């Protein structure tokens, strides 16, 4: 997209200059709201064809199953395995309750995310960066200078899997909650990966042995009220380039998934965690489990939307990933090639699902 365009009042609009000013402010979209804006900067406005798909109340809000994990170590386990596998095959999304994380810990984590993002800019800006090699950093739209239009959210990024990670780097205002959340969610992730494997007839520790529990990234998103919510998004339509994502939502909604060509609300369920299949898991399972497109609408409520996504990623970019040999046969040949993530990075195109680069 050209850096200079003609704005609505016929004056030249320097998009790149506007984005640089936004980035250099280190204040994020929260800073824009605090400044009292009544309209969003033009670089946040998405193309009409994207905006025309915005639907704020979907026709079938209860399509995503909620699975009760309370019997995971009892004779109920085979039923739970079946429920999880069915959800991954049909929808790629499901919610879990009775997962072992106390409600108070969940509430504290959402509160900690809000506390960090609602600090004065001069405090948050100390860790503002677009450097992915920093294990802890704050940013708004990490792809700001590459995207077609910016999204209405700020993010605290924490990568415990990086070799240079030190818990002391986490801002003190949310440090205890983040460390506790990472520990708790890792345990839930291990249970889920076992169920996912069993649902495919694989040895239950297969995903754990591939070190997918260790490759974690925590994305603490914050979306304040948007004065023009029908002109932008909180997050654009995408699939996750992960193995698995575990999402903690606050009570403010906005997340939608695409099902049969229609956008469906993913309404927060009190005490639940939302689980979705990532592109890497779809590749590994040879399309048995589905990585589904989803998005977040811009926040139209006069209170912030906070969420915490734990992305379980491949921990080694040099290991080879492709369909499990147990899931490949003459009747179901491999649909994807075997590649390392370092190979994929060389051919990666921003915005295109990771799984597409594996496709034969």
């Amino acid at each position: 997209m050209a850096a200079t365009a003609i704005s609505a009042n016929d004056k030249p609009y320097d998009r790149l200059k506007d984005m640089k000013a936004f980035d250099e402010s280190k204040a994020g979209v929260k800073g824009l709201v605090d400044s009292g804006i009544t309209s969003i900067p033009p670089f946040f406005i998405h193309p009409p064809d994207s905006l025309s798909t915005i639907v704020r109340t979907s026709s079938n809000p209860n399509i995503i199953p909620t699975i009760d994990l309370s019997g995971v170590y009892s004779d109920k386990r085979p039923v739970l395995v079946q429920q999880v596998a069915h959800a991954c095959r049909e929808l790629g999304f499901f919610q879990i309750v009775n997962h072992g994380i106390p409600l108070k810990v969940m509430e504290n984590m959402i509160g900690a995310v809000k506390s960090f993002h609602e600090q004065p800019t001069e405090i948050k800006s100390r860790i503002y960066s677009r450097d992915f090699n920093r294990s802890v950093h704050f940013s708004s739209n990490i792809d700001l200078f590459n995207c077609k239009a910016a999204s209405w959210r700020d993010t605290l990024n924490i990568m415990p899997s990086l070799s240079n990670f030190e818990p002391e780097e986490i801002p003190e205002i949310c440090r205890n909650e983040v460390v506790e959340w990472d520990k708790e969610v890792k345990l839930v992730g291990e249970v889920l990966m076992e169920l996912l494997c069993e649902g495919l007839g694989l040895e239950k520790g297969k995903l754990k042995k591939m070190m997918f529990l260790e490759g974690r990234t925590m994305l603490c998103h914050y979306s304040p009220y948007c004065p023009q919510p029908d002109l932008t998004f909180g997050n654009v339509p995408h699939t996750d380039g992960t193995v698995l994502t575990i999402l903690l939502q606050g009570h403010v909604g906005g997340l939608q998934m695409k099902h049969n060509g229609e956008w469906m609300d993913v309404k927060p369920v009190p005490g639940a965690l939302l689980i979705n299949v990532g592109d890497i898991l779809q590749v590994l399972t040879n399309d048995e489990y589905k990585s589904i497109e989803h998005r977040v609408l811009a926040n139209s409520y006069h209170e912030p939307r906070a969420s915490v996504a734990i992305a379980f990623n491949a921990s080694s970019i040099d290991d080879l990933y492709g369909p499990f040999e147990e899931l490949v046969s003459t009747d179901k040949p491999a649909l994807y090639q075997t590649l390392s993530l370092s190979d994929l990075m060389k051919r990666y195109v921003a915005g295109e699902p990771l799984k597409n680069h594996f496709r034969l």
Side-chain angles (χ1 to χ4, degrees):
M1 183 178 291
T4 303
I6 301 300
S7 62
N9 57 9
D10 293 332
K11 292 182 179 180
Y13 171 61
D14 192 331
R15 182 175 186 268
L16 182 58
K17 181 180 178 180
D18 209 1
M19 289 192 298
K20 284 183 175 178
F22 170 74
D23 190 45
E24 289 168 3
S25 76
K26 301 182 179 181
V29 294
K30 176 67 163 58
L32 293 177
V33 173
D34 291 344
S35 73
I37 63 166
T38 56
S39 60
I40 63 176
F43 65 87
F44 280 95
I45 299 176
H46 286 250
D49 58 337
S50 297
L51 299 174
S52 66
T53 68
I54 292 177
V55 178
R56 293 202 170 267
T57 304
S58 64
S59 57
N60 190 357
N62 300 314
I63 191 171
I64 296 176
T66 298
I67 299 173
D68 186 341
L69 291 186
S70 57
V72 72
Y73 295 114
S74 72
D75 56 4
K76 296 179 183 177
R77 188 177 180 97
V79 174
L80 293 177
V81 167
Q82 185 180 35
Q83 290 175 341
V84 168
H86 179 76
C88 291
R89 286 186 169 102
E90 298 300 318
L91 294 171
F93 273 81
F94 60 98
Q95 307 216 51
I96 56 172
V97 293
N98 293 320
H99 39 66
I101 303 180
L103 182 60
K104 189 64 177 175
V105 173
M106 302 173 73
E107 292 172 344
N108 288 347
M109 185 60 204
I110 289 292
V113 172
K114 291 180 179 179
S115 294
F116 169 80
H117 285 285
E118 290 169 1
Q119 294 178 106
T121 298
E122 56 264 29
I123 296 177
K124 292 186 294 184
S125 65
R126 296 170 190 166
I127 60 168
Y128 190 94
S129 176
R130 298 193 178 280
D131 183 359
F132 275 114
N133 293 317
R134 291 184 59 170
S135 62
V136 178
H137 60 276
F138 160 61
S139 67
S140 184
N141 289 265
I142 199 69
D143 61 346
L144 178 65
F145 296 102
N146 299 314
C147 63
K148 293 180 180 178
S151 297
W152 199 257
R153 73 179 186 282
D154 298 330
T155 305
L156 173 63
N157 301 265
I158 302 166
M159 289 174 272
S161 58
L162 290 186
S163 59
N164 63 349
F165 172 72
E166 295 291 343
E168 291 73 22
E169 295 179 18
I170 302 169
E172 185 176 1
I173 196 168
C174 59
R175 184 181 303 151
N176 290 341
E177 291 84 358
V178 165
V179 170
E180 175 71 9
W181 190 250
D182 183 55
K183 180 185 71 174
E184 293 278 6
V185 174
K186 184 179 178 182
L187 294 174
V188 174
E190 181 171 0
V191 172
L192 287 170
M193 288 186 189
E194 288 182 355
L195 296 174
L196 290 166
C197 287
E198 291 175 56
L200 296 165
L202 304 173
E203 190 271 314
K204 71 176 184 180
K206 191 173 183 71
L207 292 172
K208 180 181 180 181
K209 288 176 182 176
M210 297 178 74
M211 302 297 288
F212 292 142
L213 284 170
E214 307 309 319
R216 300 185 308 286
T217 297
M218 186 184 300
L219 303 170
C220 304
H221 296 306
Y222 181 92
S223 301
Y225 166 72
C226 179
Q228 293 178 297
D230 292 330
L231 294 182
T232 190
F233 289 94
N235 203 347
V236 294
H238 66 284
T239 58
D240 291 352
T242 64
V243 177
L244 192 71
T245 302
I246 298 180
L247 180 71
L248 169 64
Q249 296 194 83
H251 67 276
V252 178
L255 178 64
Q256 295 184 326
M257 61 164 281
K258 202 169 192 178
H259 179 65
N260 291 337
E262 294 185 25
W263 288 104
M264 301 290 181
D265 291 330
V266 183
K267 292 188 178 296
V269 173
L273 294 172
L274 179 69
I275 316 300
N276 69 277
V277 172
D279 288 346
I280 297 295
L281 189 56
Q282 180 167 334
V283 170
L284 293 172
T285 64
N286 206 30
D287 273 1
E288 284 289 317
Y289 293 161
K290 303 296 192 297
S291 174
I292 301 299
E293 194 175 22
H294 51 287
R295 69 184 185 185
V296 180
L297 300 181
N299 185 10
S300 60
Y301 299 96
H302 285 275
E303 63 175 308
R305 181 182 192 274
S307 65
V308 185
I310 295 279
F312 290 91
N313 299 299
S315 58
S316 171
I317 64 170
D318 296 317
D319 288 349
L320 296 176
Y321 302 98
F324 290 136
E325 60 181 20
E326 299 96 323
L327 303 179
V328 175
S329 66
T330 53
D331 294 331
K332 182 71 180 292
L335 300 173
Y336 301 94
Q337 57 190 311
T338 298
L339 293 168
S340 69
L341 295 187
S342 59
D343 287 335
L344 285 171
M345 289 175 184
K346 297 172 186 174
R347 64 173 78 180
Y348 179 68
V349 178
E352 185 176 349
L354 194 66
K355 60 190 176 186
N356 289 0
H357 297 283
F358 281 92
R359 183 77 68 172
L360 285 170

